[in-house]
Amino acid sequence: MAGGPDTRALPTAWIAMDSGVNIQDALDALETYKKKDASKVVVRFKAVGNAPIMKQNLYKITASNRFQAVIQFLRKELGWKAGDPLFTYINLAFAPAPDDTVSNLYKSFATEGHLIVNYSTTAAWG
Amino acid sequence: MSTYGARPSPSAFSTPASTTLFRRLTWEGTVPLEIRVDPKELPANSDRGLECYYIQAPRVSYLPLLVPEIKKFLMDVVFDEAAARVVKEEEWWFESEEGNLLKWHWPLGLIYDSHTIAASIRPTTSSSSLQSVPLRLVLHLVSPPTEKLLLSPSAEACKQAFMGQMKEADFIRWGNTKRMTGLRKAEQDGLWEGIKEHNFDEYWRVASKVTPTTTPARSQSPPLPSSTSLHTRPPSADPQTGNGGPDRDGAYNVRNIPVRIYLPDGPVIQDVVPPLLDDGSPNSLHDFLSKNLSKLFPASPSEPPFHELAYPIIQGVEIPGDAEMAWLGACMAGADGWVNVCIGIIRDHGSRL
């Protein structure tokens, strides 16, 4: 791979001379971005309205989990049956997409080191 | 599309002509789809020559919004009466030709672009043939994998997910959702109706109240307005939203821009994306990509891998690295307020997409 002194940030259409090597490098890079984030973040559950309060409301959750997994965990902790209504929000403001990862939500919305997840039995800020 | 005045009020009709133009182009973008019923699930006595439905669908629309017209086609042309009676659209779901589940709550443009970039890493695809071919979708009529689809397939569930995304985008921009929650119910519904009816004016009549403006001054002088204050202001700090200045809704005064990066076959990366860098200069697409994906987009040619190994597409268009994130957020976000940056891998000299 040429990294000579006259290599400049040319428009990409001009570069990629050795495309075979190029693709492999790119695929290797993609693999590193695919690695699951094994770190854990602290999620704080807060009840809203008539929802039951949890005695233990701070949990460490693996960052690569999807928000859907957080919802399922919460349902289990509350002893909710399938079909029981449960609405979840971040920062009393919005319901994230269920396929958002905890990691992404934490990076964007953490407050004082916690990702605050509000839960309610009725639609609140939906 | 009435006036192109330069008044500062936040209206789609008083923004600079170029802003309205790009919003219009984004809105009018379409993707070609070929929808084929899974042959194994086609009811008996169906007309097998005709089980494909072709549509040029708006990028800002969603699969649940296509279901009524697909259903009508199948009822009218493909199924016989007995089959039409038992078809339950609540059980429908879509897969790509390669067997990837298609999510109800992803905009069609994102589904299309994520398929394009996934194809960029497949050894067998000839990249030149991709552009002309419609995206082939398989429609299943039974046994939806509910757990993986995450949402029920109704238009109502899709609307709720869309509203959630609008509010999340609002929160990212301004640190609260006051602009969204300040809308009347009829206005919120108008956003969704605008998408459903593919009506630009109906959508932007409301969306202009929550989307940042691009200030007219900027189109004449590329360096930022009031450059003196920029150097003293960290980009993540609360921009002076309370001072009532004319630019408080400006694209360069948001806290962050709602952006997600989509890599081929995943993952999706979201990070805080301020409009300005620490030195006060605009955060460009190149800055953003080299911060988050330095192995594909090196910050400078002296760092490995020495040149770019990938390219970014937004709304189906390859975007130059010097595009500013704030501008992209104001002009090329999807209808849900998010800028979706799809990353494709460069395969050979200049032939991509």
Side-chain angles (χ1 to χ4, degrees), chain A residues 19 32 38-39 53 57 69 83 104 107 111 117 124:
Chain A
S19 60
T32 66
S39 66
I53 292 166
N57 68 352
N104 281 341
K107 275 188 285 181
T111 320
V117 176

Side-chain angles (χ1 to χ4, degrees), chain B residues 10-196:
Chain B
S11 153
F13 309 114
S14 64
T15 51
S18 64
T19 300
T20 307
L21 172 66
F22 278 99
R23 287 176 178 175
R24 171 69 84 167
L25 287 170
T26 299
W27 183 265
E28 299 297 343
T30 59
V31 291
L33 303 176
E34 175 191 300
I35 296 156
R36 180 186 299 268
V37 180
D38 182 346
K40 294 190 289 298
E41 296 170 19
L42 211 53
N45 302 321
S46 295
D47 196 330
R48 285 194 175 252
L50 299 167
E51 79 277 25
C52 261
Y53 186 65
Y54 294 89
I55 180 176
Q56 195 74 33
R59 283 183 159 270
V60 294
S61 190
Y62 295 87
L63 284 171
L65 299 181
L66 299 184
V67 164
E69 67 172 288
I70 298 169
K71 185 179 179 190
K72 183 171 187 323
F73 167 80
L74 292 174
M75 294 297 202
D76 289 353
V77 179
V78 183
F79 298 165
D80 72 357
E81 276 179 34
R85 269 197 299 275
V86 297
V87 158
K88 284 194 230 125
E89 66 195 76
E90 311 87 68
E91 306 229 311
W92 288 11
W93 55 288
F94 292 89
E95 264 183 330
S96 71
E97 204 176 21
E98 296 81 16
N100 294 320
L101 205 60
L102 300 181
K103 295 199 181 114
W104 294 118
H105 61 292
W106 280 25
L108 292 173
L110 176 58
I111 289 176
Y112 190 90
D113 289 345
S114 69
H115 185 266
T116 302
I117 58 165
S120 80
I121 59 167
R122 309 257 182 273
T124 48
T125 43
S126 140
S127 48
S128 59
S129 68
L130 281 171
Q131 211 163 17
S132 53
V133 175
L135 173 57
R136 296 202 174 97
L137 307 185
V138 179
L139 168 59
H140 296 278
L141 303 177
V142 289
S143 313
T146 319
E147 286 284 295
K148 289 183 189 154
L149 285 164
L150 303 169
L151 292 185
S152 72
S154 68
E156 183 54 33
C158 190
K159 177 186 173 183
Q160 291 312 322
F162 165 79
M163 287 300 168
Q165 290 302 296
M166 285 293 277
K167 284 176 189 157
E168 184 172 345
D170 209 31
F171 194 95
I172 286 179
R173 288 194 205 100
W174 315 107
N176 59 61
T177 51
K178 283 184 196 143
R179 281 170 176 75
M180 276 300 291
T181 52
L183 296 176
R184 295 192 307 273
K185 171 84 167 64
E187 289 178 310
Q188 291 205 6
D189 291 345
L191 289 168
W192 182 247
E193 285 302 309
I195 291 170
K196 240 168 108 176

Side-chain angles (χ1 to χ4, degrees), chain B residues 284-301:
Chain B
S284 71
L285 181 59
H286 174 78
D287 296 327
F288 167 64
L289 292 174
S290 61
K291 176 177 175 243
N292 284 282
L293 302 171
S294 60
K295 294 186 179 76
L296 296 170
F297 298 91
S300 84

Side-chain angles (χ1 to χ4, degrees), chain B residues 214-253:
Chain B
T214 54
T215 56
R218 277 193 48 75
S219 57
Q220 292 143 17
S221 54
L224 283 165
S226 66
S227 54
T228 45
S229 67
L230 296 174
H231 294 281
T232 56
R233 193 170 79 209
S236 56
D238 194 359
Q240 299 109 20
T241 47
N243 64 5
D247 203 26
R248 71 187 192 92
D249 293 317
Y252 293 80
N253 280 340

Side-chain angles (χ1 to χ4, degrees), chain B residues 275-348:
Chain B
L276 304 174
L277 299 174
D278 288 341
D279 67 359
S281 63
N283 191 3
S284 71
L285 181 59
H286 174 78
D287 296 327
F288 167 64
L289 292 174
S290 61
K291 176 177 175 243
N292 284 282
L293 302 171
S294 60
K295 294 186 179 76
L296 296 170
F297 298 91
S300 84
S302 59
E303 293 170 31
F306 307 113
H307 56 72
E308 292 170 1
L309 304 181
Y311 59 93
I313 54 176
I314 300 173
Q315 303 289 359
V317 181
E318 190 176 341
I319 304 292
D322 55 1
E324 294 170 8
M325 298 308 292
W327 183 88
L328 291 170
C331 296
M332 291 198 64
D336 58 4
W338 287 82
V339 178
N340 293 320
V341 185
C342 291
I343 304 297
I345 296 305
I346 297 172
R347 299 180 65 88
D348 50 42

Side-chain angles (χ1 to χ4, degrees), chain A residues 1-4 7-30 32-35 66 68 72 90-101 103-105 107-109 111 123-126, chain B residues 103 105-106 120-121 147-148 150-151 160-161 163-165 167-168 171-172 176-177 181 188 260 263-272 292-297 301-302 305-311 318 338 343 345-350 352:
Chain A
M1 297 281 276
T7 312
R8 295 188 298 119
L10 292 168
T12 45
W14 289 86
I15 53 181
M17 306 304 279
D18 190 351
S19 60
V21 173
N22 209 356
I23 289 176
Q24 196 51 53
D25 285 353
L27 294 178
D28 292 347
L30 286 177
T32 66
Y33 295 127
K34 244 180 226 175
K35 284 213 180 79
R66 290 177 168 200
Q68 179 72 5
Q72 279 158 355
I90 301 290
N91 291 346
L92 298 173
F94 63 90
D99 54 341
D100 245 343
T101 63
S103 161
N104 281 341
L105 292 168
K107 275 188 285 181
S108 295
F109 306 112
T111 320
W125 302 273
Chain B
K103 295 199 181 114
H105 61 292
W106 280 25
S120 80
I121 59 167
E147 286 284 295
K148 289 183 189 154
L150 303 169
L151 292 185
Q160 291 312 322
M163 287 300 168
Q165 290 302 296
K167 284 176 189 157
E168 184 172 345
F171 194 95
I172 286 179
N176 59 61
T177 51
T181 52
Q188 291 205 6
R260 292 196 180 106
L263 293 173
D265 293 341
V268 180
I269 300 170
Q270 181 179 328
D271 199 359
V272 287
N292 284 282
L293 302 171
S294 60
K295 294 186 179 76
L296 296 170
F297 298 91
S302 59
F306 307 113
H307 56 72
E308 292 170 1
L309 304 181
Y311 59 93
E318 190 176 341
W338 287 82
I343 304 297
I345 296 305
I346 297 172
R347 299 180 65 88
D348 50 42
H349 304 262
R352 305 198 282 277

